[in-house]
Amino acid sequence: MSKKTITPSLKNPFDPPEKVEFTIPGEIAGVAGGYEEAMKVGHELIQRPIKSVSVAQIEKQHFKKRMTVWERIKVLTANEPNILFQNWGKNLDGASLVTGILNINGRDVALYGHDFTVRAGSMDATNGNKLARLFRMAGEKGIPLIGMNDSAGAFVPAGVGGLDGYAEAFTALRKISGVVPSIMCMFGFNAGGGSYLPRQGSFMIQPNDTFFGLTGPGVVKSVLGEDITPEELGGPKVHAQSGVVDLTVSDEVAALRTAVRLLSYLPDNNGVMSPYQQNSDPIDRKTWEINTLLKKAFNSPTGFNTPFDVSIVIQQICDHGDYFELQPERSKEVVTAFGRLDGNVVGFVANNSAVSSGQIDCDSAVKIARFVRFCNIYNIPIIFMEDTTGFLPGREQESRGIVQAGRSMLDSIIDVRTPRILLILRNAYGGAYASYNNYPTGADLVLALPTTRLAVMGPAGKEFVYKSEMRKIRGIVPEMIKKGTAERIAAGMDAAAAKRDAESDAADWLKAEEAGLNLRYEKELMNPKEGLSLGSISSIVMPTDLRKVLAENMNFFLRHYKPSPMSGPQREFH
């Protein structure tokens, strides 16, 4: 038995030996000279980024269930990548980062990816310069950016050079923010600058079994004495809830494919529209499922107070029912998503009454503001769907700054310059209506379903509208209790029991009277009639005609919209 250790190799032993010729086909070979030697050196330099890494390093990456940077590129595109800035110093400076241009579905996309098999993908001054150069090129050429982050942070032996490298990359990426969209995939274990840099991008995607954060668990343990796992400190569940990450997925392949799908909804830059996609879904397709959904909800015992999932409405309106939701794990009382309507990319911002009655809190207000600002920058039209009882009240929300968060949402909506439509599905109350893309805040069109309940307040508004009647009804209660108690005592009932029984009867009577006023308030004021008569609503739309009406109007607005970068004064905002 052989005692020789078998070392793994990627080379097939049955393959003939690789031999690269530097002669013209058909040329009679002569004596090799300096030219052939230069060609050989050049070929080795071209192959070095891929072939210089040891098999052991690749195995380590695979053992962690991670791909190499070159394998990740192959998931993004089947086309050969155009690798730029292949600069490697004598100490591998610059070698731990790959930069280039990819062709993804016919579109040029700038790409960078950390090569964890070299120096753990760490950053040095040369890497920072490469990244900054790539970012500037993306901004100048107007092409989107994808980042594949898998870095241990700054390269410690490089000293301040690694920090300068990050600072240079930070600055360049910030300067193209709002010029070209960027998608950042988080792989492996990233800390410090490896977290700050990708969060400057437009969107972040994080797979399971990955970490990124300000510091790792070891630093937290040494500084705070707190034992915590990477998953608890900076895993996808943590970042999905905080809003730092926009999407979480199962693994690296899912992250890369999700990035490609998200890219299909984004424009190349802030001066053009998102890609138009021809489709076979008729513009006048009836949306019967929306009708069925609302009928079952509002004819149920809880009537017009019945919650329903607004994502079903979005699905029925979009081409072939396909839409792409962002931050689906956070603030579920609002849905933010990209979809297509007659081939054009549209952003959807919809209150979701299935969660907390669609009430807007601090997190959902910020979620809306961030999505609306992105659409506004990149020429994406927006359809708002309103069904909310208002902003969430309470001490906790006030202490978290609901006024500031609500202002951020309102500011973002007022600033929108792209075509925008408001569709009121049901509830539109008070300040939430006033700050949610109506005509005064700049909407191009306001539509409403017959189920709309547009009012200053919900059912509690009866206290103000029918104030004298409510006072009169409540004034009768003490006399009812007094009279009822006396009658029961005269009939032989114990005094205490008589009083309790009379109070119960009076309470039931009061409840019935208030329910009648509630019903009257809803019929008289909680409906679209007043809004329609005042011009706050342009027209009423039947649920089965939603796709047709929205698509035709959006097509009209888009025909008269000229995509361009934002201009004019930039308002102060949070």
Side-chain angles (χ1 to χ4, degrees):
M1 184 176 178
S2 173
K3 294 183 180 180
K4 185 178 178 181
T5 303
I6 299 174
T7 56
S9 171
L10 294 178
K11 187 176 179 181
N12 186 344
F14 299 104
D15 280 343
E18 183 180 12
K19 185 178 181 181
V20 181
E21 298 285 352
F22 303 106
T23 58
I24 299 171
E27 180 184 23
I28 299 173
V31 178
Y35 177 79
E36 282 76 15
E37 185 62 31
M39 292 301 102
K40 182 180 178 183
V41 172
H43 179 73
E44 289 173 353
L45 285 172
I46 292 172
Q47 295 295 311
R48 181 169 57 172
I50 301 173
K51 294 191 174 181
S52 61
V53 177
S54 69
V55 176
Q57 287 295 100
I58 296 173
E59 275 197 322
K60 283 182 181 179
Q61 192 76 342
H62 287 173
F63 182 75
K64 297 173 186 175
K65 296 183 179 179
R66 302 178 197 166
M67 291 184 283
T68 66
V69 66
W70 305 103
E71 291 166 336
R72 289 167 182 161
I73 289 173
K74 288 180 179 178
V75 175
L76 287 173
T77 179
N79 298 312
E80 194 69 23
N82 178 14
I83 302 301
L84 306 174
F85 317 133
Q86 297 182 27
N87 46 318
W88 280 28
K90 63 179 181 179
N91 296 318
L92 296 181
D93 293 340
S96 56
L97 191 78
V98 175
T99 53
I101 304 296
L102 300 187
N103 185 291
I104 299 178
N105 297 327
R107 299 171 67 184
D108 288 328
V109 179
L111 172 99
Y112 78 84
H114 295 276
D115 188 347
F116 201 84
T117 63
V118 179
R119 283 183 173 180
S122 56
M123 179 74 79
D124 56 40
T126 309
N127 276 339
N129 182 264
K130 283 170 66 170
L131 265 183
R133 207 179 305 173
L134 179 77
F135 296 157
R136 286 193 290 268
M137 177 185 286
E140 289 165 4
K141 305 304 179 188
I143 60 174
L145 170 74
I146 290 180
M148 302 187 299
N149 299 275
D150 188 359
S151 172
F155 185 54
V156 177
V160 74
L163 301 179
D164 281 342
Y166 265 126
E168 190 174 0
F170 290 158
T171 304
L173 184 54
R174 176 60 184 171
K175 287 187 175 180
I176 67 167
S177 174
V179 178
V180 295
S182 53
I183 303 170
M184 302 295 181
C185 297
M186 304 304 296
F187 301 132
F189 192 101
N190 300 267
S195 300
Y196 295 137
L197 180 72
R199 186 52 278 179
Q200 284 184 291
S202 308
F203 301 102
M204 290 185 78
I205 303 171
Q206 185 179 13
N208 292 337
D209 302 319
T210 60
F211 167 89
F212 75 90
L214 171 66
T215 59
V219 175
V220 173
K221 171 70 174 176
S222 62
V223 175
L224 301 176
E226 181 183 356
D227 280 313
I228 192 168
T229 66
E231 175 68 26
E232 295 168 334
L233 183 62
K237 290 182 180 178
V238 173
H239 292 312
Q241 288 299 321
S242 68
V244 172
V245 158
D246 298 284
L247 297 158
T248 59
V249 292
S250 57
D251 55 30
E252 292 190 2
V253 173
L256 295 165
R257 288 178 176 169
T258 300
V260 172
R261 186 178 171 217
L262 174 56
L263 182 67
S264 70
Y265 291 98
L266 309 182
D268 286 340
N269 54 68
N270 64 3
V272 298
M273 300 295 291
S274 295
Y276 173 83
Q277 192 175 90
Q278 193 69 40
N279 79 98
S280 57
D281 194 354
I283 191 174
D284 58 353
R285 167 173 54 81
K286 291 286 188 180
T287 48
W288 291 109
E289 288 80 359
I290 297 176
N291 189 73
T292 302
L293 171 71
L294 300 180
K295 183 177 181 180
K296 287 187 174 181
F298 298 152
N299 284 347
S300 68
T302 48
F304 276 68
N305 295 319
T306 308
F308 62 87
D309 188 351
V310 77
S311 62
I312 299 173
V313 179
I314 297 173
Q315 180 210 35
Q316 290 302 313
I317 291 170
C318 288
D319 294 348
H320 302 291
D322 187 33
Y323 67 96
F324 189 100
E325 186 176 354
L326 292 160
Q327 296 197 359
E329 302 302 318
R330 174 176 181 253
S331 304
K332 296 182 180 182
E333 54 273 345
V334 64
V335 174
T336 52
F338 292 124
R340 277 191 169 82
L341 194 56
D342 198 29
N344 297 304
V345 173
V346 175
F348 289 92
V349 178
N351 302 123
N352 187 16
S353 64
V355 180
S356 302
S357 299
Q359 286 185 309
I360 301 169
D361 63 8
C362 291
D363 292 331
S364 55
V366 173
K367 178 178 174 179
I368 291 171
R370 186 168 148 194
F371 181 78
V372 169
R373 288 200 180 280
F374 180 87
C375 292
N376 193 25
I377 289 170
Y378 290 105
N379 303 293
I380 299 173
I382 310 171
I383 293 176
F384 291 82
M385 295 183 180
E386 186 165 11
D387 183 15
T388 179
T389 55
F391 288 93
L392 182 63
R395 184 171 66 177
E396 192 239 352
Q397 288 297 309
E398 294 292 355
S399 64
R400 291 185 58 201
I402 184 67
V403 174
Q404 181 62 58
R407 179 214 158 168
S408 296
M409 184 192 84
L410 174 58
D411 287 352
S412 70
I413 292 172
I414 291 174
D415 290 346
V416 171
R417 66 199 173 106
T418 61
R420 46 173 161 153
I421 296 172
L422 170 64
L423 170 64
I424 305 176
L425 300 174
R426 176 177 43 179
N427 296 328
Y429 297 157
Y433 162 75
S435 59
Y436 202 77
N437 189 50
N438 44 42
Y439 277 128
T441 55
D444 292 303
L445 180 66
V446 177
L447 304 171
L449 293 181
T451 52
T452 289
R453 303 202 296 178
L454 175 58
V456 176
M457 293 182 69
K462 70 177 184 298
E463 300 284 347
F464 303 93
V465 176
Y466 309 122
K467 189 174 182 179
S468 58
E469 292 179 56
M470 289 297 299
R471 189 184 294 118
K472 182 178 178 181
I473 290 170
R474 286 168 182 163
I476 294 173
V477 171
E479 186 61 31
M480 282 185 67
I481 294 173
K482 183 178 178 181
K483 183 178 179 182
T485 303
E487 288 175 350
R488 286 167 174 76
I489 292 173
M493 188 179 282
D494 177 70
K499 186 177 181 181
R500 283 197 304 271
D501 197 42
E503 287 175 345
S504 177
D505 275 1
D508 290 342
W509 176 84
L510 179 62
K511 186 177 180 181
E513 290 295 312
E514 289 184 347
L517 285 178
N518 273 344
L519 191 61
R520 179 179 161 193
Y521 179 77
E522 290 184 13
K523 286 184 176 181
E524 290 180 355
L525 293 173
M526 290 177 64
N527 57 60
K529 294 177 184 176
E530 185 182 17
L532 192 63
S533 64
L534 292 174
S536 302
I537 296 169
S538 176
S539 59
I540 302 298
V541 184
M542 300 304 288
T544 53
D545 296 328
L546 274 180
R547 173 174 164 81
K548 179 177 183 289
V549 173
L550 289 172
E552 286 180 346
N553 281 286
M554 187 57 77
N555 285 347
F556 166 73
F557 293 130
L558 287 174
R559 284 196 298 272
H560 298 276
Y561 176 75
K562 294 181 180 179
S564 63
M566 291 184 70
S567 60
Q570 296 299 301
R571 310 295 178 191
E572 299 173 20
F573 60 89
H574 174 63

